[in-house]
Amino acid sequence: MTTTNLKGTVGKVFLGFALLFGIGIMSSTSAQAQYSNDGYRQNQGQDRRDRDWRRNRRGRNGNGGDGYGNYGGSMQLRQTALNAGANEGNKAGRKDRSRGERYDYSDEGAYQKATKDYSSNLGDRETYRRYFREAFEHGYADGYQGY
C-alpha cells in the first residue's frame, strides 16, 4: 500500500513540474512575441520618420535628398559632375592633410577649373562646374578628415 501511495505522489509531483514547465515555456514565448511586435512597431515609426525627413529635404531645396542642390541640367551631367568633384576633392583633401597644410579647397587647381570629366555632350559647362565645385567641397572635407 505504501508503494502505491508513493507512486501516486511521485506521479502527481511529476505532473505538477510538467505543468509548471509548460506554463513557463508558453509565457516566455508570448513575451518574445510581444517584444518582437514592439520592435516592429518601433521600426515602423523610424521608417516613417526617415521617409518624412527625406520628403522634407526634397521640399526644402528641390533635390533628390542627396545633400546637393538642383541647378538643372541632365541627370547624366549632374551625376558625372558630382562623382568627378567628390573624387577630386577627396584626393585633394587627403593630400593636404598628409602634408600638414591648412584646410582650404579654394586654392586647388581642380576646384578652380571644375571641368574634370566634362564633355560638351553632357550639356552646359557652367552648370557642370557648379555641381562639380559643390561636390568637391564635400569630398575635400571628407578627405581632409580622413574618410
Side-chain angles (χ1 to χ4, degrees):
M1 182 101 187
T2 308
T3 308
T4 307
N5 284 341
L6 184 60
K7 285 182 184 179
T9 305
V10 170
K12 290 176 186 175
V13 169
F14 181 74
L15 183 61
F17 279 124
L19 184 62
L20 288 175
F21 183 74
I23 291 171
I25 293 292
M26 294 306 290
S27 66
S28 172
T29 303
S30 67
Q32 287 175 354
Q34 182 179 0
Y35 177 74
S36 296
N37 287 338
D38 289 345
Y40 175 72
R41 283 189 210 110
Q42 288 172 354
N43 287 341
Q44 276 186 318
Q46 184 63 43
D47 290 345
R48 190 176 308 115
R49 285 188 295 278
D50 290 345
R51 187 175 54 249
D52 291 346
W53 181 83
R54 284 191 302 272
R55 186 178 301 128
N56 289 338
R57 292 269 306 150
R58 275 192 294 264
R60 267 201 301 270
N61 58 14
N63 67 23
D66 60 2
Y68 296 100
N70 187 358
Y71 309 117
S74 69
M75 283 302 292
Q76 186 178 10
L77 177 139
R78 184 177 193 274
Q79 201 58 50
T80 303
L82 292 177
N83 288 340
N87 289 335
E88 291 300 306
N90 193 284
K91 284 193 280 188
R94 286 178 183 271
K95 184 178 78 173
D96 284 358
R97 180 176 183 233
S98 70
R99 292 180 177 179
E101 296 180 13
R102 63 185 169 79
Y103 182 98
D104 185 13
Y105 55 82
S106 64
D107 66 349
E108 301 294 331
Y111 178 81
Q112 293 168 357
K113 291 179 187 173
T115 56
K116 173 108 168 101
D117 293 344
Y118 173 75
S119 166
S120 60
N121 296 339
L122 294 172
D124 182 53
R125 180 187 302 256
E126 290 309 310
T127 303
Y128 182 92
R129 294 177 82 189
R130 193 166 183 189
Y131 283 124
F132 183 96
R133 286 187 176 130
E134 186 176 354
F136 190 98
E137 294 172 21
H138 290 192
Y140 185 91
D142 288 345
Y144 198 85
Q145 293 173 8
Y147 297 118

